[in-house]
Amino acid sequence: MAEFWHFAWPSFAEPLFLAGDADLTDSVAAGLHPGQATVTAGDFLLLLQQATQQALQLPGQRVMLYQPDSYLFVVSLFALLQAGKTVLLAPNGLPDTLAQAAVFTDVQLAADWLAEAAQSGGSLVSSAAGCQLPLAGELVFFTSGSSGAPKLVSKKLWQLQREIDVLSQTFAQFGATTKPLVAATVPPQHIYGLLFRLLWPLSRGWTLARGTVHFVGQWLALCRYQQPVLLISSPAHLCRYQDAAELLQQQPALRQQLLAVFSSGGPLASQDAARFYQQTGLAPLEIYGSTETGGIGWRQYQPEQPEPAWQAFAAIKLRQDEQGCLELISPYLPDDTWFQTADLVSLESPRHFRLHGRADRIVKLAEKRLALGEVERCCAELPYVEQAVALVLPGRSATSRPQLALVVLLNQQGRLLLAQLGKLQLNQQIKQKLAARFETVLLPRRFSYPAQLPFNAQGKLPRQALELLFLS
């Protein structure tokens, strides 16, 4: 194994990052030419040289990094790794999160650490300059997933390099004939965003959109760059792209310009995948994995098969344990041993499988087992329900039993129904639907109908955020 990870940069005058504005829509509305917000490969390497010198002067070994600007983020990350630092990636910039993450680090970089140097510019570095990262370099992801319990997951760069090599082989058709512009609705601080939004595209010499896409209007603005767009997204964002048809009416060329869309963070609902396909002509590519394991498998929506089986990535071995949970051996993991997951699966072949929820989402109520995922699927069969999330809340008093709660995202029909019937009657309707499949003691006792679900930046639903919906 090579000691360093070498990146194949494009020509030093070629654009590496576009759209320096955080809001892509504003840059277009202001009449700015895209080239005015361009960072070339030469600019990148010059700033990286300066940042590495600064990183060498930082005290301590563990440095916490949070930087929402993807250009400054990746320069900071590469500089710290080249300086031999262990980098902890804070998941967001909220004060409590940063304070919690700071406990595990020696230094916390300020958000404006490189901002002044990045704006000062400078001459291009020589063509002999390049970027090489030590494969022994360490990143630490600060992840809470859906449980709400903070967890630190350490990764070496050689693990990420192996995964990117597999991504390049698996999806070799992208960028084979033309250089795409990579845009993302997900931040770079989590493993999915880091791999798909930054490291994989940089290893291929592609161009990256510097700002994060939050709204459909920003996606529309990407078409001004006259490059095929590869969109890195999540179910939390794709389910909200219901106005894509209107967008395509404004800019029909975008249908041809959108090269591919990736989704991860959770399974993409078949109705959302179908709607996206009908409106854009593109079938979303879903990635299944975790921070601990890296990517495990992928699948792509097909009109004739709305919920296809997952296909394992190359070199990953699969099996089930006695409870039906997935176990795997992966080249991205440090040990060549079976890694235990909590995901229930059925194996259709040595390389194909279906997911059936998590084992830790099977609970006991009144001494009876209940699969929360089954409750959610049953509720979602109602024509006025967009999505449902089930969870068990503690009893209202020290002596009362735990209660099943249901968070229900209503579609337009459901919102009208809620206004007509009121919450109590709508609760009763949903309970009647569930009563056809579940015993009375297993029916939900508490309901919440938020305007939107409290997804975090990873596209997950933290338990703490769900519980807050029931405080009132």
Side-chain angles (χ1 to χ4, degrees), residues 322-395:
E322 295 178 354
Q323 287 72 43
C325 290
L326 181 68
E327 294 183 329
L328 61 111
I329 292 178
S330 170
Y332 318 146
L333 295 174
D335 300 316
D336 190 26
T337 57
W338 290 98
F339 182 91
Q340 175 74 59
T341 77
D343 295 325
L344 296 166
V345 298
S346 57
L347 298 180
E348 296 191 349
S349 77
R351 306 206 54 74
H352 293 84
F353 59 96
R354 293 187 181 275
L355 293 171
H356 302 294
R358 291 181 59 84
D360 55 10
R361 297 202 75 224
I362 298 177
V363 300
K364 270 198 170 184
L365 285 174
E367 289 71 52
K368 297 181 181 293
R369 287 167 58 88
L370 176 68
L372 298 180
E374 185 63 21
V375 175
E376 295 166 351
R377 286 187 289 272
C378 181
C379 184
E381 292 172 358
L382 289 164
Y384 48 82
V385 173
E386 182 74 23
Q387 186 176 348
V389 183
L391 67 158
V392 176
L393 298 177

Side-chain angles (χ1 to χ4, degrees), residues 180-194:
L181 170 61
V182 180
T185 69
V186 296
Q189 291 89 6
H190 308 288
I191 192 165
Y192 169 56
L194 180 65

